[in-house]
């Protein structure tokens, strides 16, 4: 039972344009959501997060949007840069759970 | 700066061998995690530990065991390696609030 789903295995975007990565979840108890970025041969690194009491969180070029009614979150990267090419994982947790549930990941490729 | 280190970057073992993967963190985090990453499946939690000598099963614990004798060290043990355990293994640590986890570089294990 995949509680966190990233339905697009890959995404290709032109440099300078907006990249939008999507994530859906099924467990309404999740109250905290995170995005991680992973380069080949490296561990994932934390990118940005959002609490369920918010619907938007912004950090520089990265913005995460949360739509609780649709159980959907998205990561926007504007403008996209070649260094953004990586695999992006969304993750979710609920208070007291101590652990994260990850999606399958989306491979983002930024074309020059 | 949080540092999570893993004992090996690449490991090749034979079917039936006992395999130890070690992970050390230097941030005094209570929680430590072992994941495996497989294409199309994302990060799946094998085991986690929220205190010394404490462990909890994750989503896919079968064929694995863990040991946490010291706060900074968390070991993953494959009692009898099988080819379906060929994967990327990622260790992470976290303080539990607000759920952010810090990952090591990963160990690419191949079982032949």
């Amino acid at each position: 039972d995949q509680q966190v789903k990233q339905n697009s295995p890959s995404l290709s975007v032109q440099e300078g344009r907006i990249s939008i990565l999507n994530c859906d979840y099924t467990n309404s108890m999740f109250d905290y959501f995170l995005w991680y970025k992973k380069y080949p041969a490296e561990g994932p690194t934390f990118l940005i997060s959002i609490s369920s009491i918010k619907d938007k969180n912004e950090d520089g070029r990265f913005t995460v949007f949360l739509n609780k009614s649709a159980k959907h979150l998205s990561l926007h990267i504007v403008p996209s840069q070649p260094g953004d090419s990586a695999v992006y994982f969304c993750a979710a947790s609920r208070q007291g759970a101590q652990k994260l549930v990850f999606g399958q990941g989306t491979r983002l490729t930024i074309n020059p | 700066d949080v540092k999570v280190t893993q004992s090996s970057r690449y490991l090749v073992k034979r079917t039936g061998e006992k395999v130890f993967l070690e992970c050390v963190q230097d941030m005094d985090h209570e929680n430590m995690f072992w994941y495996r990453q497989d294409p199309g499946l994302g990060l799946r939690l094998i085991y986690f530990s929220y205190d010394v000598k404490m462990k909890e099963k994750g989503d896919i614990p079968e064929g694995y065991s863990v040991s946490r004798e010291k706060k900074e060290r968390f070991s993953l043990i494959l009692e009898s390696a099988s080819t379906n355990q060929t994967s990327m293994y990622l260790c992470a640590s976290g303080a539990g609030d607000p759920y952010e986890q810090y990952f090591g570089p990963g160990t690419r294990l191949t079982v032949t």
Side-chain angles (χ1 to χ4, degrees):
Chain A
D1 178 27
Q2 189 79 27
Q3 295 186 72
V4 178
K5 294 180 184 178
Q6 294 175 256
N7 292 317
S8 298
S10 62
L11 178 67
S12 188
V13 174
Q14 205 73 20
E15 182 179 357
R17 300 287 188 113
I18 183 171
S19 295
I20 301 176
L21 294 95
N22 294 304
C23 179
D24 297 296
Y25 62 96
T26 57
N27 189 340
S28 58
M29 297 296 289
F30 288 146
D31 59 4
Y32 200 80
F33 304 88
L34 307 88
W35 284 94
Y36 280 81
K37 176 180 180 179
K38 186 182 186 298
Y39 292 120
E42 293 184 16
T45 54
F46 170 74
L47 192 57
I48 191 169
S49 62
I50 188 166
S51 164
S52 61
I53 62 173
K54 296 185 174 181
D55 54 19
K56 176 183 173 181
N57 189 27
E58 195 170 350
D59 183 1
R61 297 186 298 114
F62 302 91
T63 303
V64 56
F65 295 92
L66 176 62
N67 182 335
K68 289 188 289 294
S69 60
K71 293 193 181 68
H72 177 83
L73 66 155
S74 60
L75 174 68
H76 293 211
I77 306 173
V78 183
S80 300
Q81 299 174 354
D84 296 330
S85 294
V87 177
Y88 290 79
F89 292 99
C90 88
S93 188
R94 59 179 177 82
Q95 192 170 12
Q98 307 265 28
K99 60 181 183 176
L100 299 175
V101 179
F102 284 86
Q104 305 96 311
T106 296
R107 181 177 301 279
L108 175 65
T109 302
I110 306 301
N111 302 307
Chain B
D1 206 21
V2 178
K3 190 151 189 187
V4 180
T5 57
Q6 296 184 227
S7 49
S8 306
R9 294 300 300 269
Y10 300 93
L11 212 50
V12 179
K13 295 291 182 181
R14 292 192 179 272
T15 302
E17 278 193 84
K18 191 168 186 175
V19 182
F20 292 88
L21 303 181
E22 299 221 309
C23 174
V24 178
Q25 52 99 359
D26 66 357
M27 279 302 292
D28 201 36
H29 285 158
E30 293 88 2
N31 302 332
M32 296 189 74
F33 307 84
W34 275 107
Y35 296 89
R36 61 179 283 177
Q37 182 196 356
D38 300 289
L41 297 176
L43 300 175
R44 293 181 292 166
L45 182 64
I46 304 171
Y47 267 98
F48 69 103
S49 169
Y50 51 88
D51 202 352
V52 175
K53 296 193 186 295
M54 304 301 287
K55 62 184 179 185
E56 292 239 0
K57 292 180 180 179
D59 300 317
I60 50 165
E62 297 79 18
Y64 304 94
S65 62
V66 291
S67 171
R68 193 166 181 202
E69 297 296 320
K70 293 185 178 182
K71 190 175 187 179
E72 68 271 17
R73 190 178 296 269
F74 192 35
S75 301
L76 180 69
I77 303 152
L78 289 65
E79 294 289 342
S80 176
S82 63
T83 54
N84 63 11
Q85 293 178 310
T86 291
S87 187
M88 169 69 82
Y89 289 87
L90 292 158
C91 174
S93 74
D97 180 17
Y99 319 121
E100 193 176 319
Q101 294 179 15
Y102 301 85
F103 284 83
T107 296
R108 171 73 64 185
L109 172 67
T110 302
V111 182
T112 61

